[in-house]
Amino acid sequence: MRLGTLTLENNLVLAPMAGITDYPFRKIAREMGCGLVFTEMISAKGFLCKKSATLRIRRDEKPVVVQLSGSHPATLAEAAEKVEAMGADGIDINLDVRRDWW
């Protein structure tokens, strides 16, 4: 299966689930045949300030998509650039539009 430029082994995708899809869970999902896994939701602001849990992307869980949340487009963009540099195969943006950022 193809998703943009990413080629997946199959069409089984582990949905991002806050508090559940940590590294051990993602690794088990990949071992059980999941073609693509997502990280837990990570605050873009917390990630940039290093206040949130440390994110590591490991070779044995790839391909992996990092889920970022936030309300400020510039903060999300900066976090996305850093996550991409860390080796993320994709980025899932959760934009909180309830806040006044425009």
Side-chain angles (χ1 to χ4, degrees):
M1 179 175 161
R2 293 193 51 83
L3 183 60
T5 59
L6 188 61
T7 301
L8 306 178
E9 294 174 9
N10 55 53
N11 63 354
L12 298 175
V13 177
L14 174 68
M17 296 176 278
I20 296 174
T21 52
D22 57 4
Y23 168 69
F25 192 87
R26 295 190 306 267
K27 183 177 179 194
I28 291 169
R30 289 286 297 139
E31 289 172 355
M32 298 302 291
C34 195
L36 179 65
V37 297
F38 281 70
T39 67
E40 298 176 281
M41 190 179 323
I42 299 169
S43 161
K45 185 176 180 179
F47 174 72
L48 293 174
C49 296
K50 306 222 187 296
K51 292 180 182 175
S52 66
T54 303
L55 173 67
R56 281 187 55 203
I57 297 172
R58 296 164 180 91
R59 191 171 293 183
D60 62 349
E61 65 179 318
K62 291 176 81 51
V64 61
V65 175
V66 175
Q67 185 182 52
L68 293 173
S69 68
S71 60
H72 193 272
T75 302
L76 283 161
E78 184 180 351
E81 287 176 357
K82 290 184 184 242
V83 165
E84 180 183 25
M86 293 174 67
D89 297 294
I91 299 165
D92 176 13
I93 300 288
N94 285 275
L95 182 61
D96 184 354
V97 295
R98 295 173 291 170
R99 300 202 178 140
D100 183 22
W101 52 266
W102 53 88

